[in-house]
Amino acid sequence: MSWLTFFITSHGTSHGVSVSEILAVRELDVDCGTKDDGRWQKMPQKSTEAYPYAFTVSYVERAWQHRWRCSDVTFHCLEGALCQQWVQTIREQLTALTSRPKHLLVYINPYGGKQQGERIYEQKVAPLFTLASISTHVIVTEHANHARDHLRTEAELKKYDGVVCVGGDGMFSEMVHGLVSRTQRDNGVDQNSPEEKLVPCTLRIGIIPAGSTDCICYATVGINDPVTSALHIIVGDAQPMDVCSVHHNNTFLRYSVSLLGYGFYGDMLADSERKRWMGPARYDFSGFKTFLTHHYYEGTVSFLPATDILGTPRDKTRCRAGYVLLQRTMEYKGGWRVIRGKFLAINAASMSCACPRSPKGLSPAAHLADGTTDLILVRKCSRFNFLRHLLRHTSKYDQFDMTFVEVHRVRRFRFTPRYCQSDSELDLRENGKRLFSQICRDHPACSCSPAYSSWNCDGEILPHAAIEVGCVTTPYNLLCKYTVHSESIQTPSLFPHFFTL
Ligand SMILES: CCCCCCCCCCCCC/C=C/[C@@H](O)[C@H](CO)NC(=O)CCCCCCCCCCCCCCC
Ligand SMILES: Nc1ncnc2c1ncn2[C@@H]1O[C@H](COP(=O)(O)OP(=O)(O)OP(=O)(O)O)[C@@H](O)[C@H]1O
Ligand SMILES: [Ca+2]
């Protein structure tokens, strides 16, 4: 890290500013104001007389609780030539920082979260990109999957150093699907084949939080703050992350980077989708309702434990951007394990899934880029015990330290619902309902659960209950990667709030 240590400021104090955290520099005409942008800046009279030349450095200041802010510091000197030399040198140093993006393609979801995406971008983010001399092409999406399809088919990706989405986890998922699908198509790779080696994509993805959960942002940066994320993007931070591929009967369904949840989180999501008008509160409403219904689901979970790794899901360590843990061993030791039972929830957390509702997340010790996902099995238990389990997500107590909960760090897993009758998957909406009524007719006195839930895949509902999931990392560079069943890919990355796939 190179540091510029300057002499005195107008207040006689010295400042050290890391070049890697400088956003911009501009020369000041002390008498007239700034030369660059015409903004006027009042200088203390004493400094102006003693040091007639000055320049201002805008830099990243670390504030409280993972928050970053843009600060200015002005340096004064006696000679104009010396002042210019400083400005020139800093600009050269900034230009030499090749990891910083210069051209970005930005997608804004105007309907994510509290529908503030456009305002957040215009007021908080665009001025910072302008300050850092980043050019942008901005697209406000007009419908769901607009960004995904544009990235997949039309976008002239060669013109950009990265793509940025302003929205929530669903928008991030659109970016992932658009970029990964396009890269595979361009390279003739069949995504439907779980064994096929994926080709890495070269663009990074950034995310400005403007969603309802913002768990990808929160779990990586530690906070869902648009200014903090914009600053991470500007300085070119990069964070690798695990991407699971989800297949059903050799048919590709989706990628997942945060939560794959069956049972509680699947039912909660299905209910909440009908209440989008409520905004982020829909999750609390549907969560409460789903808690009361207390449905459990029978099935078989098979998984391949990640035995060759360093941590466990019960560790006290926490993983965020800047905490790089990439496992380099790829061998699978030990075999598949099979667990049958009745489950209230089956969750696979590829990252902690920390969010404002649960600052430590579903799996607090999950790592961002270790090629594993934490498989959490919550067996049928009383409402009271399930509530205790849920409540522990919001406190310091261990949500896994309960007899009906188990957690495994896995590379791959499969789920088969008990009533899955054949390899050709049932259509959940039609046959699921039929089966539910069939079961209830068979047991009229019991409070039967339906046979199927649905999978919540990063906030999207999957149309199949039986799925196979792979999450493996081959960290051949420190930037990003995505994973497929038995192999994974990395591509040059994005910014922590830029992710590379
Ligand atoms: C009593 C309070 C218990 C609070 C328990 C909080 C646990 C929260 C765990 C959050 C995990 C987030 C995982 C991230 C998933 C994202 O890929 C996805 C897309 O954005 N978001 C959601 O699916 C949206 C997930 C939103 C989850 C909200 C769950 C709310 C549960 C409320 C239960 C109330 C029971 C009250 C009984 C008196
Ligand atoms: N213009 C649009 N109109 C309607 N839906 C859109 C539009 N643009 C994007 N979407 C869809 O909106 C969905 C939700 O968006 P987003 O993830 O940004 O917010 P959220 O669901 O409120 O937040 P989170 O995912 O963090 O819970 C995404 O699945 C996305 O496909
Ligand atoms: Ca992981």
Side-chain angles (χ1 to χ4, degrees):
M1 182 179 292
S2 64
W3 287 85
L4 292 178
T5 308
F6 297 98
F7 44 97
I8 54 170
T9 68
S10 53
H11 303 291
T13 55
S14 66
H15 265 264
V17 180
S18 162
V19 171
S20 63
E21 299 197 345
I22 291 178
L23 305 171
V25 58
R26 57 191 183 279
E27 209 177 324
L28 296 183
D29 183 331
V30 175
D31 293 330
C32 309
T34 65
K35 282 181 177 165
D36 275 5
D37 58 9
R39 277 189 291 155
W40 292 83
Q41 183 164 333
K42 194 165 182 287
M43 307 300 295
Q45 190 58 37
K46 218 170 135 196
S47 309
T48 310
E49 285 161 11
Y51 303 100
Y53 299 94
F55 62 93
T56 296
V57 172
S58 301
Y59 66 100
V60 171
E61 185 179 52
R62 283 172 168 72
W64 71 106
Q65 288 185 336
H66 308 285
R67 233 174 263 267
W68 285 13
R69 285 289 170 262
C70 173
S71 274
D72 284 352
V73 56
T74 298
F75 298 92
H76 300 267
C77 60
L78 287 166
E79 296 166 35
L82 181 62
C83 188
Q84 277 179 7
Q85 208 180 334
W86 270 107
V87 172
Q88 184 65 23
T89 305
I90 295 171
R91 287 202 175 127
E92 280 167 13
Q93 297 239 5
L94 291 181
T95 311
L97 298 172
T98 50
S99 59
R100 291 193 175 193
K102 294 183 178 59
H103 310 285
L104 292 175
L105 176 57
V106 180
Y107 296 96
I108 303 175
N109 176 1
Y111 300 113
K114 295 179 182 157
Q115 310 194 344
Q116 297 293 305
E118 285 175 282
R119 189 189 62 78
I120 287 171
Y121 182 76
E122 291 306 329
Q123 294 182 3
K124 300 188 172 182
V125 178
L128 290 172
F129 285 170
T130 305
L131 177 74
S133 305
I134 294 175
S135 74
T136 52
H137 178 67
V138 179
I139 296 174
V140 179
T141 60
E142 289 166 12
H143 51 85
N145 295 325
H146 180 169
R148 182 199 69 183
D149 296 343
H150 186 258
L151 274 174
R152 191 157 57 184
T153 54
E154 290 170 49
E156 285 186 73
L157 300 181
K158 286 198 184 82
K159 287 170 37 181
Y160 304 104
D161 305 310
V163 293
V164 170
C165 59
V166 184
D169 301 323
M171 274 304 278
F172 184 82
S173 176
E174 282 202 28
M175 306 284 117
V176 169
H177 285 86
L179 278 182
V180 175
S181 297
R182 176 157 170 174
T183 309
Q184 306 324 304
R185 193 198 55 208
D186 290 351
N187 290 279
V189 174
D190 177 12
Q191 282 176 293
N192 287 323
S193 164
E195 304 306 326
E196 184 111 43
K197 185 171 180 168
L198 295 186
V199 175
C201 40
T202 51
L203 273 186
R204 295 179 286 176
I205 308 174
I207 177 169
I208 302 288
S212 302
T213 315
D214 293 326
C215 101
I216 291 158
C217 185
Y218 201 98
T220 51
V221 164
I223 191 162
N224 55 342
D225 173 56
V227 169
T228 304
S229 291
L231 293 174
H232 276 288
I233 289 171
I234 291 169
V235 302
D237 275 345
Q239 172 61 50
M241 61 194 293
D242 296 323
V243 179
C244 287
S245 61
V246 187
H247 284 80
H248 166 81
N249 276 354
N250 286 329
T251 305
F252 169 74
L253 298 181
R254 285 188 78 85
Y255 295 112
S256 165
V257 293
S258 55
L259 166 71
L260 264 168
Y262 189 80
F264 181 74
Y265 289 101
D267 294 351
M268 183 275 309
L269 183 72
D271 189 74
S272 72
E273 281 298 292
R274 297 187 284 271
K275 300 179 178 64
R276 275 209 161 262
W277 55 271
M278 290 175 76
R282 70 189 184 278
Y283 290 138
D284 301 310
F285 181 89
S286 297
F288 180 64
K289 193 174 151 188
T290 307
F291 169 79
L292 291 180
T293 57
H294 200 64
H295 283 156
Y296 63 86
Y297 300 92
E298 291 191 66
T300 304
V301 183
S302 324
F303 60 89
L304 190 57
T307 51
D308 54 338
I309 49 155
L310 292 174
T312 78
R314 307 292 293 274
D315 291 339
K316 298 292 170 219
T317 51
R318 300 292 177 261
C319 183
R320 281 202 194 95
Y323 182 109
V324 176
L325 183 120
L326 288 168
Q327 301 297 336
R328 297 195 174 263
T329 47
M330 289 297 299
E331 287 161 26
Y332 303 142
K333 291 178 189 152
W336 284 76
R337 287 189 57 194
V338 178
I339 295 178
R340 284 189 192 83
K342 297 173 179 172
F343 304 100
L344 286 174
I346 298 169
N347 304 321
S350 296
M351 57 172 67
S352 71
C353 292
C355 62
R357 283 181 182 81
S358 171
K360 64 179 187 175
L362 274 184
S363 189
H367 288 290
L368 289 166
D370 64 346
T372 72
T373 189
D374 286 353
L375 183 62
I376 304 159
L377 307 177
V378 184
R379 289 176 187 273
K380 185 184 169 194
C381 63
S382 68
R383 275 194 186 81
F384 176 70
N385 275 337
F386 190 48
L387 179 61
R388 282 176 55 228
H389 168 67
L390 287 176
L391 274 173
R392 286 193 182 186
H393 289 79
T394 63
S395 72
K396 66 180 165 67
Y397 297 107
D398 181 358
Q399 60 258 39
F400 304 136
D401 188 17
M402 309 184 107
T403 52
F404 53 91
V405 181
E406 56 191 284
V407 57
H408 306 272
R409 190 155 282 177
V410 309
R411 299 234 179 249
R412 299 167 67 161
F413 73 92
R414 279 187 211 115
F415 174 71
T416 314
R418 177 170 171 199
Y419 297 101
C420 191
Q421 288 159 328
S422 69
D423 276 354
S424 58
E425 174 68 8
L426 301 164
D427 178 294
L428 288 178
R429 282 201 188 106
E430 295 305 315
N431 296 337
K433 275 184 202 156
R434 215 179 317 141
L435 190 52
F436 182 31
S437 32
Q438 175 67 43
I439 292 165
C440 284
R441 262 201 310 276
D442 293 347
H443 307 85
C446 73
S447 57
C448 276
S449 277
Y452 306 113
S453 173
S454 38
W455 283 95
N456 173 341
C457 178
D458 293 355
E460 297 293 318
I461 296 168
L462 291 184
H464 296 89
I467 59 168
E468 306 174 43
V469 180
C471 183
V472 188
T473 300
T474 311
Y476 58 79
N477 72 46
L478 268 191
L479 302 179
C480 256
K481 52 108 230 307
Y482 48 81
T483 12
V484 220
H485 277 259
S486 54
E487 50 209 325
S488 78
I489 307 197
Q490 290 194 328
T491 55
S493 90
L494 225 81
F495 321 86
H497 278 81
F498 254 173
F499 300 100
T500 309
L501 304 174

